[in-house]
Amino acid sequence: MIIVLYVILSAIIITAVILIITANHFVNKLLIKTNKKLFERKEKTKEEDEEKKLIKEKRKIWFEENQKDVYTVSCDNLKLHAHLINNNSNVYIIIVHPYEGRGSYMKYFIEKFYNMGFNVLAIDLRSHGESEGNIYSLGYLERLDVLAWIKYINNNYNDEKIIPKIILYGISMGANAVMMCSCENLNEASNKDLNNVKAIIEDAGFTNAYEQLKERLDIAYKFSFLPIVELTSIMSKIRLRFSFDDINVEKSVSKSKVPILFIHGNKDELVNCNMVHKLYNSCSSEKEKLIIKDGGHISAVMKDESLYWNTINNFINKYI
């Protein structure tokens, strides 16, 4: 009997140790800046024709000739970098890139918004590009970077006659970041630094970290029934001072007073399209929803560019 109890206790201890090690491993891969990420999206490589290569080269040259490197500091003292493209407008589009991206990767979107007549600020989120940091938080801490850039615009491009109008655009993790800004009293008169954010556009954001990570674990490893996500959340709280409870985008939009346009591809292979319906239904502000047929993750725009950009343009014009 004693031997049986010893075996059972040993098995429990070994299982607990394995789960803790696994949770710590996931924190390192998912939330700490490293060379290899946990849930990488494998790009399908295909040869581009000469015309597309030429368009990309011209876009790159245009970007490098017109962009200006600008810097600010987050409220938690990280030096942040962004690319500013001035278009002599009083409307600023803040573009927020996806996980493992950077502002300069967003040239296609920068050019599109510029051609609409807007100034563009393409930011490097913390731990990305030229910005400081070594932690990823799937939108939670990154929202502080977006808020810092809102204040930067207001401090540097504001005068008594012309007050800048700001639109937030984010894709994937960037979408989470801009949506999590939506409950930060952006348009409260008492908050003079943030009350000129007129609208938010999100593409391919998720509802919350628990739901997203459980689904991804089930797809990638087939053991979502184990409390890996919960333990990873606890480990994150211990090591990084935030848990997955903090990464709740659905809760943020439920308190939003800023108009939000929700965009998602119905064939998104990384963030389930059902999440956009939950976000839309939870949103408390004015809202619109666009589902792109056959659209994949962060590439839905390429399935119907005309619909995508016409919807965005019409949405922005309603609020500026």
Side-chain angles (χ1 to χ4, degrees):
M1 185 65 178
I2 295 175
I3 294 175
V4 172
L5 289 175
Y6 178 78
V7 170
I8 292 173
L9 181 61
S10 297
I12 291 172
I13 292 172
I14 291 171
T15 301
V17 170
I18 291 173
L19 288 173
I20 290 170
I21 292 172
T22 302
N24 195 57
H25 168 76
F26 284 172
V27 168
N28 289 336
K29 288 295 184 182
L30 183 64
L31 304 175
I32 305 295
K33 187 175 183 179
T34 60
N35 293 326
K36 186 72 174 175
K37 307 318 298 176
L38 180 61
F39 297 125
E40 288 188 304
R41 177 174 173 270
K42 295 179 174 59
E43 296 287 348
K44 295 178 181 178
T45 56
K46 59 180 180 180
E47 287 293 325
E48 292 183 330
D49 59 37
E50 290 302 316
E51 183 180 1
K52 287 185 178 179
K53 288 181 181 178
L54 183 60
I55 290 171
K56 281 190 174 182
E57 185 61 30
K58 286 182 177 179
R59 186 179 293 138
K60 179 182 177 182
I61 294 171
W62 169 83
F63 172 78
E64 291 174 350
E65 289 178 347
N66 289 277
Q67 76 89 26
K68 174 185 176 183
D69 293 297
V70 293
Y71 299 87
T72 193
V73 178
S74 67
C75 65
D76 50 350
N77 295 316
L78 290 177
K79 184 179 180 182
L80 305 174
H81 169 263
H83 305 276
L84 175 66
I85 298 90
N86 193 325
N87 203 10
N88 298 314
S89 171
N90 72 322
V91 178
Y92 288 78
I93 309 290
I94 298 180
I95 294 180
V96 191
H97 61 75
Y99 183 79
E100 289 287 272
R102 59 169 61 200
S104 62
Y105 292 173
M106 305 295 284
K107 295 182 186 71
Y108 167 80
F109 297 93
I110 292 168
E111 184 180 54
K112 287 292 186 179
F113 282 116
Y114 182 89
N115 289 340
M116 290 181 187
F118 306 130
N119 303 321
V120 182
L121 186 72
I123 72 175
D124 287 345
L125 291 169
R126 62 185 58 210
S127 308
H128 293 78
E130 296 179 40
S131 291
E132 292 181 340
N134 62 357
I135 294 172
Y136 304 103
S137 67
L138 309 181
Y140 173 63
L141 294 175
E142 289 80 5
R143 85 192 192 285
L144 301 178
D145 305 344
V146 180
L147 295 173
W149 286 112
I150 293 169
K151 292 182 179 181
Y152 171 87
I153 291 172
N154 286 327
N155 289 338
N156 290 277
Y157 304 102
N158 195 351
D159 59 45
E160 295 180 356
K161 295 181 179 179
I162 303 177
I163 298 175
K165 298 175 182 178
I166 298 172
I167 307 294
L168 306 181
Y169 172 88
I171 188 164
S172 194
M173 186 178 77
N176 297 342
V178 298
M179 283 190 285
M180 293 193 81
C181 288
S182 69
C183 63
E184 297 280 347
N185 294 323
L186 292 177
N187 59 0
E188 293 292 331
S190 60
N191 196 334
K192 63 182 179 64
D193 287 317
L194 304 175
N195 63 8
N196 55 337
V197 175
K198 300 301 180 183
I200 293 172
I201 302 162
E202 76 87 15
D203 181 345
F206 64 56
T207 51
N208 61 75
Y210 279 111
E211 186 175 1
Q212 172 67 9
L213 295 176
K214 277 184 175 296
E215 183 169 310
R216 296 311 305 170
L217 278 175
D218 194 37
I219 292 171
Y221 299 99
K222 306 299 182 186
F223 54 54
S224 63
F225 61 91
L226 292 173
I228 297 297
V229 175
E230 290 79 3
L231 288 172
T232 303
S233 177
I234 293 170
M235 189 66 68
S236 174
K237 186 68 173 180
I238 294 169
R239 292 180 56 187
L240 307 178
R241 300 181 184 177
F242 66 88
S243 72
F244 293 162
D245 290 326
D246 297 310
I247 313 171
N248 192 329
V249 183
E250 191 173 4
K251 182 178 178 181
S252 294
V253 300
S254 73
K255 300 177 181 178
S256 174
K257 292 183 174 63
V258 182
I260 302 179
L261 171 59
F262 298 91
I263 303 174
H264 219 100
N266 71 342
K267 296 292 179 65
D268 191 320
E269 68 282 10
L270 194 61
V271 178
N272 195 309
C273 187
N274 289 332
M275 290 192 179
V276 76
H277 303 302
K278 293 181 181 179
L279 289 167
Y280 178 85
N281 292 335
S282 296
C283 182
S284 59
S285 60
E286 293 184 51
K287 55 194 175 182
E288 291 183 23
K289 180 169 59 177
L290 173 63
I291 306 300
I292 302 292
K293 184 180 179 181
D294 296 327
H297 190 68
I298 71 173
S299 62
V301 59
M302 296 306 170
K303 289 297 180 179
D304 197 332
E305 288 187 89
S306 178
L307 176 62
Y308 189 96
W309 290 110
N310 284 338
T311 302
I312 287 177
N313 191 47
N314 292 336
F315 184 76
I316 291 174
N317 287 332
K318 285 174 63 176
Y319 300 105
I320 61 171

